[in-house]
Amino acid sequence: MSETKKVVVLWSSPNTDGLTASAKNQLVKGIEREGAEVQEIHLNKCNLEHCKACGNGWGACRANGKCAIKDDFQTIYDALVPADGIILVSAVYWSDLTEQFKAFIDRLRRCEATANHFLANKRCVLVACAGGTGRGTIECLGNMELALTHMGMRAYDRIPVNRYNSPYILPALEEAGATYVERLNNGFDMYY
């Protein structure tokens, strides 16, 4: 019997009962159904400043993989390192991640890609949720994946959610969460 897997779900939306929260909840339901431990981190409730590009553009992040800003960033980063799986769920604003997510990813990328490489080769699930037309979901997912690529991480699945496809995508997200845990337990069936 395999050990219990730990999955961190990072999500961002100021609306705690909207489409993004519903998508996150469905994923969590599937993850828990498969017996994995879930840690949810709602970035909008965290104190996250934007990168200051200190030290002539590169500060402690390049030298020792730590950010000089004292806020919730390091606590969140520390939660990702031991995680078996990572899921990113973001509302879509102007075809991109939320501002809170961008603030976190910008700082994570600086620490991870230049010094630490603690998250390299982790396979992630990416979910972009658009309440408007839904046109920005694909671009948002592309931006998420590009950030992962800079850090040596891999996208296992990329799921666009919008108000038109939500009646059938939300139930499918429960299955996506369950399948992700099954892959974490038994191995991924293809190279990414």
Side-chain angles (χ1 to χ4, degrees):
M1 179 158 182
S2 62
E3 68 182 55
T4 301
K5 298 297 183 189
K6 180 180 178 185
V7 178
V8 175
V9 179
L10 286 177
W11 71 288
S12 179
S13 173
N15 187 353
T16 58
D17 62 356
L19 185 61
T20 305
S22 295
K24 181 264 307 171
N25 290 340
Q26 288 298 107
L27 284 158
V28 168
K29 194 192 274 186
I31 293 164
E32 289 176 338
R33 189 180 83 206
E34 286 299 309
E37 175 188 335
V38 178
Q39 180 179 0
E40 293 181 37
I41 300 173
H42 186 192
L43 295 175
N44 292 73
K45 295 191 183 247
C46 297
N47 176 22
L48 287 169
E49 294 185 35
H50 290 273
C51 177
K52 308 286 188 223
C54 54
N56 200 23
W58 289 100
C61 55
R62 186 175 202 169
N64 61 21
K66 298 268 186 194
C67 183
I69 301 169
K70 303 299 180 209
D71 60 7
D72 293 334
F73 171 79
Q74 192 61 50
T75 301
I76 300 166
Y77 191 8
D78 290 344
L80 296 177
V81 173
D84 298 296
I86 299 169
I87 296 180
L88 309 180
V89 184
S90 182
V92 176
Y93 295 144
W94 295 279
S95 302
D96 208 349
L97 297 149
T98 67
E99 288 75 6
Q100 281 293 96
F101 232 128
K102 286 190 281 189
F104 177 73
I105 291 289
D106 284 346
R107 290 170 61 194
L108 181 68
R109 185 171 25 204
R110 283 177 168 265
C111 292
E112 187 62 24
T114 61
N116 295 336
H117 313 291
F118 298 145
L119 306 178
N121 293 316
K122 289 197 185 222
R123 289 187 168 108
C124 305
V125 173
L126 311 177
V127 182
C129 304
T133 65
R135 290 187 322 193
T137 56
I138 302 306
E139 292 85 352
C140 183
L141 290 168
N143 291 338
M144 287 176 166
E145 189 160 3
L146 182 59
L148 292 185
T149 301
H150 291 157
M151 296 181 277
M153 300 166 75
R154 301 175 184 181
Y156 170 66
D157 202 356
R158 304 142 198 90
I159 306 168
V161 181
N162 61 57
R163 61 187 171 143
Y164 303 109
N165 70 13
S166 64
Y168 61 88
I169 290 292
L170 290 177
L173 284 172
E174 180 180 346
E175 294 308 313
T179 299
Y180 183 52
V181 173
E182 191 275 323
R183 295 293 189 265
L184 290 171
N185 283 324
N186 299 315
F188 292 83
D189 55 356
M190 51 183 128
Y191 177 78
Y192 294 86

